[in-house]
């Protein structure tokens, strides 16, 4: 791990009670505490307007916090202007210089920092090779596709070898296939270079695919921070459960031991219920059986009728009406579609295994 003079890891970011209030009393960022580790791919996920860009701009130094401290690589950032921070930003709009070639765009930052010419050329060549844009070195941005332009924007940030790369929805303007390719590439590149990436997106799928850890943001606050798998599998609030993937959620007023009385009926859960009043299960965690094959001797078996089957290629979503009238969403992968698929009006039995039901506070 790379170390800074005072011993803190290069690329470590510590935010301590950071706030930003805009005119008119909009609290864009509300007392956020967050530690981002050196060399991790960290994603800020949240709906539009929740404060992601504002938070990123404060780390970059384009925006000044109204309260709180920012420490990057062990250095307090309060009096450090943006251009002296070991941070580079990649924006959604590529912001390339239209009259400079690809190579000149990438070289620009090194020129500003008065890096000597032979060294400049070497670094520009290396980064262009890494991002596979060397074939377009002499073209202008207007002669590139969206995906190629975004690679140039990325190269321009990486060539400076910053401790931290900030990326504000850099892939959202790209079409789905290219976007999926660049997601994987970006992730590999980050691992290879070892820089800290702070990636902002409103796309939950993107956050799941790319990140080591993530934070879910709502109205200027961090609702939950953790490894991607933990946040998805164990959401601590209804907002996180609903924002990150699909879910069936039931509030319940009463319970007995580990049985919750929910709108779909009694639901057995794996652990005794404490203060939680909401039960959640992901559609893919529900087991589906033809009526004749349902196991008779287990808890949480719910017969129902398919009202809608939405085929999605690799999987099918089933909107199922249970006997009492409640609707539930289940997902079945299509690896055995020939033997197992249901159309509207067909009956089946759903099993909600206790271990797959999460309890949420509130
Ligand atoms: N320069 C600004 N002046 C006033 N309000 C702003 C400014 N920038 C952002 N905001 C407001 O702050 C909130 C957070 O915005 P932003 O950080 O851009 O969110 P996100 O990037 O998550 O979409 C929004 O309500 C937005 O309207
Ligand atoms: Mg934004």
């Amino acid at each position: 791990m790379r170390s800074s003079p005072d011993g803190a890891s290069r690329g470590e970011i510590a935010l301590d009670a950071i706030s930003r209030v805009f005119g008119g009393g909009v609290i864009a960022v509300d007392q956020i505490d967050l530690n981002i580790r050196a060399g991790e791919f960290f994603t800020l996920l949240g709906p539009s307007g929740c404060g992601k860009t504002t938070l990123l701009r404060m780390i970059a130094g384009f925006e000044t916090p109204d309260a709180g401290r920012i420490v990057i690589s062990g250095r307090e950032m309060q009096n450090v202007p943006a251009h002296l921070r070991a941070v580079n930003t990649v924006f959604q709009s590529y912001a390339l210089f239209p009259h400079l070639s690809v190579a000149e765009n990438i070289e620009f930052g090194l020129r500003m920092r008065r890096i000597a010419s032979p060294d400049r050329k070497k670094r520009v060549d290396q980064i262009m090779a890494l991002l596979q844009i060397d074939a377009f070195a002499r073209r202008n941005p207007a002669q590139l596709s969206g995906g190629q332009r975004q690679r140039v924007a990325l190269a321009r940030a990486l060539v400076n070898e910053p401790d931290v790369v900030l990326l504000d929805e850099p892939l959202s303007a790209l079409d789905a296939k290219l976007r999926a390719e660049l997601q994987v590439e970006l992730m590999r590149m980050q691992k290879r270079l070892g820089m800290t990436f702070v990636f902002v997106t409103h796309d939950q799928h993107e956050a799941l695919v790319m990140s080591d850890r993530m934070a879910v943001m709502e109205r200027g606050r961090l609702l939950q921070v953790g490894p991607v798998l933990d946040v998805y599998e164990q959401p601590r609030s209804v907002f996180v459960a609903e924002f990150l993937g699909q879910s069936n959620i039931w509030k319940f007023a009463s319970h007995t031991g580990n049985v919750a009385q929910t709108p779909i009926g009694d639901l057995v859960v794996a652990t005794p219920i404490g203060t939680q009043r909401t039960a959640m299960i992901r559609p893919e965690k529900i087991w589906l059986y033809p009526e004749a094959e349902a196991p008779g001797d287990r808890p949480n078996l719910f017969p129902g009728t398919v009202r809608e089957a939405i085929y999605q290629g690799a999987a099918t979503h089933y909107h199922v009406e249970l006997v009492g009238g409640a609707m539930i969403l289940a997902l079945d992968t299509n690896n055995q579609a020939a033997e197992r698929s249901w159309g509207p009006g067909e009956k089946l039995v759903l099993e909600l295994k206790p271990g797959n039901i999460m309890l949420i506070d509130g």
Side-chain angles (χ1 to χ4, degrees), residues 205-218:
H205 178 74
E206 193 158 273
L208 289 176
V209 168
M210 301 179 81
S211 331
D212 296 315
R213 289 194 310 146
M214 66 190 294
V216 179
M217 246 181 121
E218 188 203 18

Side-chain angles (χ1 to χ4, degrees), residues 79-97:
N79 297 311
V80 182
H83 71 280
L84 293 180
R85 299 188 182 191
V87 170
N88 272 99
T89 308
V90 182
F91 300 98
Q92 181 187 341
S93 56
Y94 318 111
L96 301 177
F97 300 113

Side-chain angles (χ1 to χ4, degrees), residues 12-25:
E12 215 169 70
I13 303 171
L15 307 180
D16 181 10
I18 287 295
S19 291
R20 180 75 177 105
V21 185
F22 288 112

Side-chain angles (χ1 to χ4, degrees), residues 22-23 26 28 46-55 63 168-169 200:
F22 288 112
V26 177
S48 178
C50 74
K52 305 179 297 294
T53 293
T54 305
L55 187 58
E63 192 83 60
D168 194 355
E169 315 223 15
V200 160

Side-chain angles (χ1 to χ4, degrees), residues 112-188:
M112 289 294 101
R113 286 165 50 210
R114 302 180 197 288
I115 309 279
S117 172
D119 189 26
R120 260 188 350 241
K121 184 169 175 352
K122 197 174 117 215
R123 282 167 66 171
V124 170
D125 286 346
Q126 273 174 355
I127 207 77
M128 286 197 303
L130 182 69
L131 280 153
Q132 297 167 16
I133 48 177
D134 30 356
F136 327 119
R138 297 188 183 289
R139 288 197 205 165
N140 285 343
Q143 297 167 300
L144 302 175
S145 70
Q148 290 164 344
R149 265 179 243 162
Q150 198 49 286
R151 278 171 207 265
V152 177
L154 192 62
R156 210 171 47 166
L158 297 179
V159 78
N160 296 313
E161 296 174 6
D163 293 352
V164 174
V165 182
L166 305 175
L167 304 106
D168 194 355
E169 315 223 15
L171 307 180
S172 20
L174 306 175
D175 66 61
K177 188 159 192 296
L178 185 61
R179 187 170 176 165
E181 279 168 22
L182 271 179
Q183 284 169 358
V184 175
E185 255 184 61
L186 251 182
M187 195 175 68
R188 289 196 186 130

